[in-house]
Amino acid sequence: MKQLGDILLEGGLVSPTQLEAAYEEQQRVGRALGRVLIEQGVLTESQLVAALATQIGLRFVDLSDFAVDGSAVGRVPGTVCRRHSAMPIGFEDGKLLVAMADPANVFAIDDIRSLTGMDVKPVVATRADIAAAIDRYYRADSDLDDISAVLDAQEEEDELSKVKEIVEDAPIVKYVNLLITQAIQDRASDIHLEPTEHDLRVRFRIDGVLHEVMRSPKAIQSGVISRLKIMADINIAERRIPQDGRLSVNANGRKIDLRVATLPTVWGEKVVMRILDNSTARLDLTDLGFSQDNYERYSRSFTKPYGMILVTGPTGSGKSTTLYATLNIVSRPEVNVITVEDPVEYRLPGINQVQTNNKAGLTFASALRSILRSDPDIVLIGEIRDHETGQIAVEAALTGHLVLSTLHTNDAPSAVSRLTEMGIEPFLVGSALDAVLAQRLARRLCSKCKEPYTPTAESLVASRFPWEDGKPLPELFRPVGCTNCSKTGYKGRLALHEVMLISEEIERLAVEKASATTIEHVAREQGMKTLREDGLSKVLAGVTSLDEILRVVV
């Protein structure tokens, strides 16, 4: 149509006014036809907008699948974006890349150019996608109500004053706020800011897997890291050693703590922020994905007045969440609950929590000795790391206290061997230990896009699935990916459990220093389901995929 119009114009057959009117009529008819096609389900809105963008010679961008650069977002206020239905999403060829619902809106382009001082390169996106992206990326101004860290009043060095000017620059503040609010909205457990040779890489750990969300210019690296260090009350002048800090934010009316750790690397300081949502600590045990049988076995142990309960698994397997959920059940006004943790991740009402401090000599062992003189009924130890802590914990369990703790082992039967390897007498381990809960976290399939399929017999045999040759193949589910789950196919996580109760026979095996394999064999005979078996039962229930179970358990 455009080429035909140029020919007619050059031939003097139509005037520019007539041609412009014809273009407008064509666009009006095209939009009307598009609406009909969308209503009939022939086209999606994205397909229609992509076709129209191609017609006018501009690029179409699917914002639900585009890695938006936070430093670009921080350059334009949210009010301007909402007014023009346009949003900056990155940089290209030295220009600011702006997604627009109406790329012919020259007033919007002029506004953004004057605000940023950069040339604008428009791309086309659907109006709904732009509105959703604006709501997502510009929540920082309204949702992040308070940041509980301020610069130390005594600024003795000129360098500190200089850094303060940098980090109070509006784009840097907006960028940092954006990172935190976006991570909270995306249900991330960790934020990784990683300096590279040419840029600053940002990754979120969502459902246990790291996802790269943006890459920002190297120029903003020092400002962003200094801003975070000030917020977390960390020494901004020290860049040579690792440092730790903490900050709290109020997002959507919820108080959320962030534990901040810095680590010097060859390209600058890497910052990792662990997001600690206090609502997680108030979860009920039934929300954690226990099967009925495993829940009944586990509840038999924590309802006893004394004994030791261990939760095992690698870092990030939800051990602390399970222990806190257990505490929520056993903690009552008539009992004295004391915890010793490093660090105290979640602050719980009605519970006495002690933070270890190795520099001051307050270790797990020394704190535990003092706790036992404070008349406790229930004691939670963050982790048994050495012989001394383990010995005191075992003795506490034998003298009428309910002791909850964590241990780093691969499965439940290995916990018995691990304690004896620490130097604790085997007969004490057998007598004190009441139950061991091994745990892993697997991603939950997105309920909106998961699809059923029938696996092949070969794939079931290769994965050691509990299926017998000759029987019908089971119907399983696999991930697909949609906007609801950010194209991953998974949303949320569930726990896999292995509950080993200490029977007389297992206690005898502990005294005999039997291997973990022997203990596992007896525990399975007594009704223990392994992590793999529990995971495969959840695959059959359609809540996770076979590939996901094979990823997290052997």
Side-chain angles (χ1 to χ4, degrees):
M1 178 70 180
K2 194 171 189 310
Q3 290 175 344
L4 175 62
D6 291 341
I7 293 170
L8 293 172
L9 195 61
E10 288 171 6
L13 299 174
V14 296
S15 68
T17 306
Q18 289 172 321
L19 183 62
E20 185 64 30
Y23 281 152
E24 288 180 3
E25 180 63 18
Q26 181 203 19
Q27 289 176 355
R28 187 186 66 77
V29 172
R31 284 194 295 269
L33 176 61
R35 282 195 295 272
V36 172
L37 293 173
I38 289 172
E39 287 168 5
Q40 292 181 349
V42 178
L43 284 178
T44 64
E45 186 183 1
S46 295
Q47 289 171 326
L48 176 64
V49 174
L52 293 173
T54 304
Q55 185 184 20
I56 60 175
L58 289 177
R59 195 167 106 214
F60 173 76
V61 171
D62 183 355
L63 288 181
S64 63
D65 203 24
F66 188 88
V68 175
D69 191 329
S71 59
V73 175
R75 290 176 176 265
V76 181
T79 51
V80 174
C81 293
R82 287 189 176 90
R83 183 165 68 244
H84 296 305
S85 194
M87 194 184 92
I89 57 173
F91 303 93
E92 199 170 281
D93 303 327
K95 298 179 181 179
L96 186 66
L97 201 64
V98 178
M100 304 181 70
D102 179 12
N105 186 347
V106 292
F107 298 107
I109 294 173
D110 286 344
D111 273 2
I112 293 171
R113 185 187 292 117
S114 62
L115 279 168
T116 60
M118 294 184 70
D119 285 337
V120 172
K121 184 174 183 178
V123 293
V124 183
T126 67
R127 194 173 296 275
D129 278 358
I130 291 174
I134 291 171
D135 287 342
R136 179 181 179 190
Y137 287 96
Y138 283 96
R139 286 184 313 274
D141 297 333
S142 57
D143 285 1
L144 209 60
D145 305 321
D146 173 57
I147 298 176
S148 66
V150 293
L151 185 66
D152 190 16
Q154 297 180 344
E155 296 180 14
E156 300 174 350
E157 300 179 26
D158 292 340
E159 185 182 356
L160 297 186
S161 300
K162 199 180 208 176
V163 170
K164 189 184 177 191
E165 287 176 16
I166 294 172
V167 301
E168 287 188 349
D169 183 41
I172 295 291
V173 173
K174 285 184 179 178
Y175 178 87
V176 171
N177 289 353
L178 162 69
L179 280 183
I180 296 172
T181 52
Q182 185 184 343
I184 292 168
Q185 178 68 21
D186 290 349
R187 303 172 294 102
S189 60
D190 301 86
I191 305 171
H192 291 243
L193 278 80
E194 301 167 324
T196 66
E197 184 178 4
H198 302 294
D199 54 25
L200 179 67
R201 181 168 72 159
V202 180
R203 295 193 290 172
F204 292 167
R205 187 177 292 279
I206 303 171
D207 295 335
V209 178
L210 280 170
H211 299 272
E212 184 173 316
V213 292
M214 64 180 81
R215 283 182 178 264
S216 300
K218 187 78 173 174
I220 70 167
Q221 177 182 310
S222 60
V224 169
I225 293 172
S226 296
R227 171 69 180 169
L228 284 168
K229 289 170 83 170
I230 286 174
M231 289 164 63
D233 201 19
I234 294 173
N235 182 2
I236 58 175
E238 181 57 75
R239 301 185 182 89
R240 299 164 299 173
I241 59 173
Q243 297 184 84
D244 296 301
R246 191 180 183 111
L247 62 96
S248 297
V249 299
N250 288 324
N252 291 326
R254 289 183 300 153
K255 183 185 177 187
I256 293 175
D257 296 329
L258 289 92
R259 195 174 74 219
V260 182
T262 68
L263 182 71
T265 70
V266 291
W267 302 117
E269 287 180 285
K270 172 183 168 79
V271 179
V272 178
M273 292 182 279
R274 166 66 59 89
I275 299 172
L276 306 169
D277 186 351
N278 286 319
S279 63
T280 304
R282 292 190 289 275
L283 284 174
D284 193 89
L285 266 179
T286 54
D287 298 330
L288 302 183
F290 275 94
S291 65
Q292 185 63 32
D293 181 55
N294 277 340
Y295 182 79
E296 288 174 1
R297 288 167 63 84
Y298 182 55
S299 61
R300 270 184 249 159
S301 60
F302 64 73
T303 50
K304 294 181 180 178
Y306 57 86
M308 179 188 282
I309 300 171
L310 293 179
V311 181
T312 76
T315 302
S317 60
K319 300 188 297 294
S320 297
T321 301
T322 299
L323 284 180
Y324 282 132
T326 307
L327 275 187
N328 289 334
I329 294 176
V330 299
S331 175
R332 303 182 303 278
E334 60 268 23
V335 296
N336 180 20
V337 182
I338 306 179
T339 75
V340 52
E341 305 165 65
D342 179 24
V344 175
E345 291 190 345
Y346 303 107
R347 293 174 171 88
L348 302 175
I351 291 175
N352 307 284
Q353 295 175 277
V354 178
Q355 166 80 55
T356 61
N357 187 338
N358 290 329
K359 290 181 181 177
L362 185 62
T363 61
F364 275 116
S366 61
L368 201 47
R369 285 196 198 91
S370 301
I371 284 171
L372 294 178
R373 291 194 291 270
S374 301
D375 186 31
D377 296 293
I378 300 168
V379 179
L380 185 147
I381 307 165
E383 184 185 345
I384 295 178
R385 298 177 180 172
D386 51 43
H387 165 75
E388 192 177 10
T389 307
Q391 187 72 34
I392 299 170
V394 164
E395 290 170 359
L398 291 171
T399 52
H401 303 91
L402 181 62
V403 178
L404 309 175
S405 189
T406 68
L407 199 65
H408 283 278
T409 62
N410 288 327
D411 54 23
S414 300
V416 176
S417 307
R418 181 81 182 93
L419 288 173
T420 55
E421 286 166 6
M422 284 183 179
I424 301 168
E425 292 294 339
F427 69 90
L428 291 178
V429 173
S431 302
L433 204 54
D434 194 67
V436 183
L437 170 68
Q439 183 168 305
R440 295 288 189 283
L441 290 178
R443 290 180 292 174
R444 188 187 295 270
L445 281 169
C446 174
S447 59
K448 293 191 177 179
C449 68
K450 67 179 181 180
E451 68 173 13
Y453 76 104
T454 303
T456 62
E458 292 77 13
S459 65
L460 293 180
V461 171
S463 60
R464 291 181 284 140
F465 196 87
W467 168 79
E468 295 177 14
D469 194 12
K471 288 193 173 181
L473 292 168
E475 183 184 72
L476 306 181
F477 288 82
R478 60 188 171 198
V480 176
C482 64
T483 54
N484 182 57
C485 59
S486 302
K487 306 290 184 183
T488 63
Y490 298 94
K491 188 168 185 180
R493 287 192 286 179
L494 55 89
L496 314 179
H497 299 104
E498 180 177 283
V499 184
M500 184 179 79
L501 299 179
I502 308 300
S503 62
E504 288 184 12
E505 193 172 354
I506 292 176
E507 188 176 335
R508 180 174 54 78
L509 290 173
V511 173
E512 294 172 359
K513 295 187 178 180
S515 67
T517 307
T518 306
I519 294 172
E520 180 186 356
H521 180 70
V522 172
R524 292 185 68 179
E525 286 181 347
Q526 295 176 354
M528 181 187 82
K529 273 188 181 179
T530 64
L531 286 165
R532 185 188 187 86
E533 289 167 344
D534 190 43
L536 293 177
S537 69
K538 284 163 182 168
V539 171
L540 278 172
V543 293
T544 188
S545 68
L546 184 57
D547 288 342
E548 180 65 8
I549 296 303
L550 297 178
R551 183 182 73 86
V552 297
V553 293
V554 292

